[in-house]
Amino acid sequence: MSSALEPQAASLGGTASDVVINKVALGLMMLTLTATPVPDEQAFEAIKAAIDHTPKDRKLLLNSGEFY
């Protein structure tokens, strides 16, 4: 049973149809693309917190694109 705070999930298609991902990803651009980038330790803590919050049966998308 999922909690109200747990992100919704989606299944991928094609040959990856057995992969379940969160519908909410983590955008990383603002961790580095600022006049004063976030310190590495703080950035890694944020990434780890997002991964730790992801249910064990799902994957988390870490969006590292230079634009959205």
Side-chain angles (χ1 to χ4, degrees):
M1 176 180 224
S2 64
S3 72
L5 298 177
E6 186 174 293
Q8 294 182 350
S11 294
L12 298 180
T15 59
S17 61
D18 60 331
V19 177
V20 179
I21 61 170
N22 282 340
K23 284 190 174 182
V24 176
L26 178 62
L28 304 175
M29 185 169 60
M30 293 307 293
L31 295 177
T32 59
L33 192 64
T34 61
T36 307
V38 173
D40 287 349
E41 184 175 312
Q42 186 178 352
F44 293 137
E45 286 176 10
I47 294 168
K48 184 175 182 331
I51 292 169
D52 290 346
H53 184 70
T54 302
K56 300 296 180 202
D57 60 337
R58 298 188 195 165
K59 307 294 183 197
L60 172 68
L61 173 66
L62 298 174
N63 185 346
S64 61
E66 293 183 19
F67 59 90
Y68 295 117

